[in-house]
């Protein structure tokens, strides 16, 4: 697992965006062989999305032949709700780039058969040949997507009940009102993410420090689902200095040292 340590959130976002651009451009995707991205929502990836938009407008990257699959979606709120992940993605990213609308896949939290929606999502990922690069963030409790503590590391796309901690954390997007936060969601599974050819997880700020510590130094276990990244042959954890507050000095120095020639 690579660990990239950047000074702050802005530098983290630029590193992540440049990595995405490099991967897409190196693949030279076509309509017949698109590059497939797994994408997150939330505050952590916003800077990366802004930088990718800038790179696109500068003519350095095109998303014409990119297919995306988002990690998750709330159950029960309209897709045009201001806090739906559908709205988030189109407001903050998709509407600013040249992606084809039919290539942007987001789970439907209002499907009449939610179980079928999850199965169809997995089938769509398999049909296109899998995901080339899955990007994610982590919660303070180390969850990736909505794979809360205790989720199976072999899990697939499914319905998930959100923990109280997650509901409280997400209430900031709902005016602080816990009653307005959906309590269930559709989410890709840990195994769905780890099946990608490359996985890049982003974490910034002191609030993520314990999760980062577990991701790097902890044992692989279902109570910190991000630890599954340790088992991936091409896993990358991109963090800022504040998110490193809990790791050992020796661990910090080790990863800074081995990445110094890649700066």
């Amino acid at each position: 697992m690579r660990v990239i340590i950047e000074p702050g959130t802005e530098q983290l976002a630029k590193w992540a965006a440049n990595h995405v651009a490099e991967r897409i451009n190196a693949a030279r995707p076509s309509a017949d062989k698109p590059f497939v991205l797994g994408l997150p929502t939330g505050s952590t990836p916003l800077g990366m999305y802004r930088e990718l938009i800038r790179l696109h407008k500068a003519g350095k990257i095109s998303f014409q032949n990119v297919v995306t699959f988002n990690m998750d979606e709330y159950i029960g709120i309209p897709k045009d709700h201001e806090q739906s992940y559908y709205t988030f993605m189109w407001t903050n990213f998709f509407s600013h780039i040249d992606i084809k609308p039919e290539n942007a896949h987001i789970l439907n939290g209002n499907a009449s058969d939610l179980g079928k929606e999850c199965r169809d999502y997995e089938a769509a990922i398999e049909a296109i040949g899998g995901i080339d690069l899955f990007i994610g963030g982590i919660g303070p409790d180390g969850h990736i997507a909505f794979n809360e503590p205790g989720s199976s590391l072999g899990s697939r796309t499914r319905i998930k009940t959100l923990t109280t901690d997650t509901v409280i954390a997400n209430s900031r997007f709902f005016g602080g009102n816990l009653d307005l936060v959906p309590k269930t969601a559709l989410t890709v599974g840990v195994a769905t993410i780890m099946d990608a050819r490359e996985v890049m997880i982003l974490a910034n700020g002191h609030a993520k420090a314990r999760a980062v510590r577990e991701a790097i130094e902890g044992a692989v276990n279902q109570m910190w689902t991000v630890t599954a990244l340790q088992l991936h042959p091409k896993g990358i954890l991109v963090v800022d200095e504040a998110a490193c507050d809990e790791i050992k000095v020796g661990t910090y120095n080790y990863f800074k040292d081995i990445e110094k020639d890649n700066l």
Side-chain angles (χ1 to χ4, degrees):
M1 179 173 68
R2 290 181 69 186
V3 178
I4 309 298
I5 302 171
E6 292 294 323
T9 301
E10 183 178 345
Q11 294 90 339
L12 179 157
K14 286 184 177 180
W15 195 98
N18 285 334
H19 186 74
V20 173
E22 287 169 7
R23 286 291 185 264
I24 293 173
N25 290 335
R28 297 186 178 182
S30 63
D32 294 332
K33 189 172 175 53
F35 190 89
V36 186
L37 274 176
L39 295 176
T41 54
S43 56
T44 301
L46 277 174
M48 178 190 71
Y49 289 144
R50 285 192 291 266
E51 183 64 14
L52 283 170
I53 292 166
R54 189 190 69 78
L55 291 172
H56 166 66
K57 291 184 175 179
K60 296 182 179 179
I61 184 173
S62 171
F63 294 88
Q64 276 280 329
N65 295 314
V66 172
V67 172
T68 65
F69 287 87
N70 260 72
M71 280 188 155
D72 40 31
E73 178 60 284
Y74 288 123
I75 291 173
I77 62 174
K79 74 176 187 178
D80 60 354
H81 187 284
E82 62 179 2
Q83 293 304 331
S84 77
Y85 291 156
Y86 178 93
T87 296
F88 177 98
M89 291 305 301
W90 280 99
T91 300
N92 294 297
F93 190 41
F94 293 151
S95 64
H96 305 283
I97 58 175
D98 60 344
I99 193 168
K100 298 172 184 173
E102 63 269 24
N103 285 347
H105 298 87
I106 301 174
L107 284 155
N108 178 8
N110 293 290
S112 57
D113 186 336
L114 293 174
K116 183 177 184 298
E117 174 70 9
C118 294
R119 294 190 295 274
D120 289 349
Y121 207 67
E122 287 280 341
I125 293 172
E126 183 178 355
I128 205 165
I131 290 174
D132 293 300
L133 171 60
F134 219 132
I135 306 161
I138 54 176
D141 60 4
H143 73 256
I144 49 176
F146 276 132
N147 294 288
E148 306 280 32
S151 295
S152 167
L153 300 185
S155 55
R156 295 287 174 183
T157 303
R158 66 209 187 285
I159 301 168
K160 198 74 173 116
T161 300
L162 307 185
T163 66
T164 300
D165 284 346
T166 297
V167 171
I168 291 171
N170 289 351
S171 67
R172 69 189 189 276
F173 302 118
F174 292 83
N177 189 338
L178 298 181
D179 294 333
L180 297 180
V181 185
K183 306 306 187 292
T184 54
L186 301 182
T187 183
V188 296
V190 179
T192 311
I193 299 167
M194 294 302 149
D195 274 354
R197 284 174 274 280
E198 184 176 19
V199 178
M200 180 171 68
I201 301 296
L202 314 179
N204 65 282
H206 177 76
K208 306 296 177 66
R210 286 186 63 211
V212 168
R213 181 193 68 200
E214 293 297 324
I216 299 173
E217 298 175 343
V220 176
N221 73 93
Q222 80 283 2
M223 297 310 294
W224 298 84
T225 51
V226 69
T227 59
L229 188 66
Q230 296 175 24
L231 302 177
H232 198 283
K234 289 190 176 180
I236 305 175
L237 183 61
V238 189
V239 300
D240 66 2
E241 293 280 351
C244 295
D245 285 353
E246 296 269 353
I247 64 174
K248 297 173 183 175
V249 173
T251 302
Y252 174 91
N253 289 338
Y254 168 76
F255 285 110
K256 289 289 283 188
D257 179 64
I258 63 175
E259 291 291 339
K260 66 180 185 298
D261 294 332
N262 294 320
L263 298 176

